[in-house]
Amino acid sequence: MTDANDREALVSYRLESAKEKLKAAIALLADADYKDSVSRSYYAIFTAARALLATKRLDSSKHSGVIALFNQHFVKTGIVDKETSKLIEKAKVYRERADYGDYFIVSKEETASQIESAKKFISEIEKVIEKGKS
């Protein structure tokens, strides 16, 4: 296998993983497990961002590093719009509050909104990846 094939396989794997996390977020919403759903929505976005980073052989062991690389290489260059970047930032805040915040309550509507953000983010990332292939 060539390096390009390895990279393409990693990108594909991460995109599928992002979609699996989104599917879990949707199931958790249906079960009224809102905090865990918000967390899965964030991880769907985060994993999709890592898929895009893999197209340029970029990654980080830290969440903040992944977001910084995403912004540096894709948002600041105009490949991804700033609105898409805001989705990951908002999702990160919700995920941190849901996972670590005492007495944090997230509503069904907020949870559903985060799922919609994850769907939009993944869709945008897929478009950028497809555009990069042509």
Side-chain angles (χ1 to χ4, degrees), residues 1-21:
M1 227 202 275
T2 67
D3 183 51
N5 288 342
D6 289 345
R7 191 168 4 124
E8 194 171 307
L10 180 60
V11 170
S12 179
Y13 174 81
R14 287 182 178 170
L15 276 176
E16 287 308 309
S17 182
K19 292 174 186 176
E20 287 172 11
K21 288 169 179 36

Side-chain angles (χ1 to χ4, degrees), residues 47-63:
T47 305
R50 288 187 70 221
L52 186 56
L53 289 177
T55 66
K56 292 191 176 195
R57 294 186 194 95
L58 300 168
D59 202 9
S60 175
S61 62
K62 296 185 176 218
H63 289 245

Side-chain angles (χ1 to χ4, degrees), residues 28-54:
L28 288 163
L29 171 63
D31 288 343
D33 193 347
Y34 304 139
K35 290 196 298 185
D36 283 339
S37 177
V38 163
S39 184
R40 288 290 92 192
S41 292
Y42 165 75
Y43 279 106
I45 291 171
F46 176 78
T47 305
R50 288 187 70 221
L52 186 56
L53 289 177

